[in-house]
Amino acid sequence: MFQVPSHDPVVIAGSTHRELASRIAAELKVPLGRVRFNRFSNENLKVCIEENVRDRDVYVVQTSCPPVNESFMETLILIDALKSASAGRVTAVLPYLPYARSDKQDEPGISVTARLVADLLVTAGANRVLAMDLHSPQIAGFFRVPIDHITAIPVLCDALVKRDEGAARVVVATDIGEAKDAGRFAGSMKLPLAVIDKRRSGDDEHAVPNAIVGDVKGRHALIVDDEIATGGTIMEAAELVMGMGAASVEAAVVHPVLSGNAVERLRASPLRRLIVTDSIPVPEHKRDPRIEVVSVAPLLAEAIRRIHGGHSLYDMASRR
Ligand code: R5P
């Protein structure tokens, strides 16, 4: 006789961030779904779902980190395999979306690759998407399936509020685009806001902070940004606020991309602490005592719980 099926969500880990997927599964009190990955000598990948997912509500946890392109191909094959295995509904849980920065046609003849990524995920069979702190809000509109775009800003705020250092602080936005998020961050921490006027030209990865609107003198500056990639934006912002007389400087960032020589830059910078989330794993060789990681597993687990149960995510939504 067959058993009555369980209605728990099924959490499947891609190979980019098994640790985060395991934490999410633990929060949800479900085991990780069993999957086998075979990588062949011709670099082809075979994914085999070793779990009964028939008609189940499945959540594939896969972030974007090196090797970015290979990992994305794995995501597509994994989703396709789940559809082959008759999964009822597949939600792609993407803490950091691949190619999120390629979100606009800012010069002729280029691919808006974030849109292509969205199309490919849907073509592979994703029925829904759960994303976190997308580089820009319009990316959510690239998906032809429902997307929940949540924010980890409250997770970072909580981590900072827990250690009240009794200092006069000021939240600093790295540019005008980040001012809305940083403003919310400042609002929930009841702190003043300063905004850096930053200029970037074309695909030049070098950002130039120009001036600050707001007062940082004598205050402990807390720079807020959605991601740290090469570190140029944050480190130069840190130099600028210190040059403007800040007492100290630290940064709170959602996505620790830490590409290029970001960690060397961090070590040579006046930044006393960098708080990031585990939306992307920080490998051993990129760790530094100044980098503190807070987990978004409880946040993502709560989002999955609500999606699975058909409840609203309104209060978790990003308002970028
Ligand atoms: C820019 O629009 C973003 O908010 C980040 O400031 C940027 O992506 C960080 O890049 P990097 O660390 O390479 O300066």
Side-chain angles (χ1 to χ4, degrees):
M1 185 172 336
F2 291 109
Q3 291 194 331
V4 176
S6 144
H7 294 291
D8 283 339
V10 179
V11 178
I12 299 277
S15 56
T16 53
H17 207 344
R18 220 181 140 77
E19 196 182 325
L20 178 63
S22 303
R23 283 187 186 166
I24 292 171
E27 290 280 337
L28 293 168
K29 298 187 173 47
V30 297
L32 269 184
R34 282 167 294 124
V35 190
R36 194 181 73 241
F37 296 96
N38 284 115
R39 289 190 160 76
F40 300 104
S41 55
N42 63 359
E43 293 193 9
N44 286 11
L45 171 67
K46 179 162 115 183
V47 175
C48 183
I49 310 299
E50 297 186 322
E51 185 81 35
N52 179 10
V53 294
R54 184 172 291 271
D55 293 332
R56 300 284 297 275
D57 190 21
V58 182
Y59 295 81
V60 174
V61 180
Q62 182 79 305
T63 196
S64 179
C65 59
V68 170
N69 297 325
E70 195 182 320
S71 303
F72 184 58
M73 193 66 200
E74 182 193 278
T75 314
L76 300 176
I77 297 174
L78 187 47
I79 292 171
D80 193 45
L82 284 162
K83 297 309 275 193
S84 279
S86 303
R89 181 176 72 170
V90 177
T91 300
V93 180
L94 308 167
Y96 180 63
L97 183 80
Y99 285 93
R101 282 174 72 164
S102 302
D103 59 350
K104 57 190 157 307
Q105 195 156 41
D106 48 11
E107 64 177 290
I110 63 162
S111 157
V112 181
T113 315
R115 198 218 64 246
L116 177 64
V117 163
D119 284 348
L120 292 170
L121 286 163
V122 175
T123 301
N127 302 105
R128 298 188 66 92
V129 171
L130 171 58
M132 203 177 76
D133 291 287
L134 292 168
H135 187 60
S136 59
Q138 70 262 24
I139 297 173
F142 294 168
F143 290 88
R144 287 174 289 109
V145 292
I147 173 167
D148 289 296
H149 177 198
I150 62 170
T151 180
I153 295 286
V155 177
L156 292 171
C157 285
D158 284 355
L160 288 160
V161 164
K162 271 184 199 137
R163 48 176 122 72
D164 183 6
E165 290 153 329
R169 295 207 231 177
V170 58
V171 172
V172 179
T174 51
D175 60 23
I176 308 291
E178 209 49 44
K180 229 169 152 184
D181 259 1
R184 237 173 256 119
F185 197 101
S188 53
M189 294 186 71
K190 299 189 177 39
L191 294 174
L193 175 71
V195 181
I196 292 179
D197 178 18
K198 179 182 97 174
R199 307 280 156 108
R200 188 190 288 272
S201 64
D203 57 7
D204 181 5
E205 284 197 273
H206 186 70
V208 185
N210 244 16
I212 300 186
V213 182
D215 193 13
V216 297
K217 200 168 173 31
R219 288 180 173 268
H220 296 280
L222 176 56
I223 300 171
V224 178
D225 211 344
D226 62 328
E227 68 172 56
I228 173 165
T230 64
T233 305
I234 292 210
M235 305 319 166
E236 291 191 36
E239 302 275 357
L240 184 71
V241 295
M242 290 307 286
M244 296 276 189
S248 73
V249 61
E250 58 187 345
V253 176
V254 177
H255 305 298
V257 179
L258 298 171
S259 57
N261 57 355
V263 179
E264 287 69 36
R265 267 182 164 153
L266 166 69
R267 288 178 186 140
S269 81
L271 217 61
R272 67 183 174 123
R273 184 168 52 196
L274 172 66
I275 299 185
V276 297
T277 79
D278 58 354
S279 68
I280 301 171
V282 179
E284 197 57 49
H285 69 279
K286 288 188 183 171
R287 294 198 188 149
D288 185 277
R290 272 176 289 185
I291 303 179
E292 195 175 308
V293 183
V294 291
S295 184
V296 285
L299 182 83
L300 290 168
E302 176 60 16
I304 291 173
R305 220 175 267 126
R306 293 192 196 185
I307 295 168
H308 183 64
H311 304 294
S312 169
L313 277 78
Y314 184 81
D315 58 321
M316 302 176 80
S318 168
R319 310 261 184 260
R320 290 186 133 252

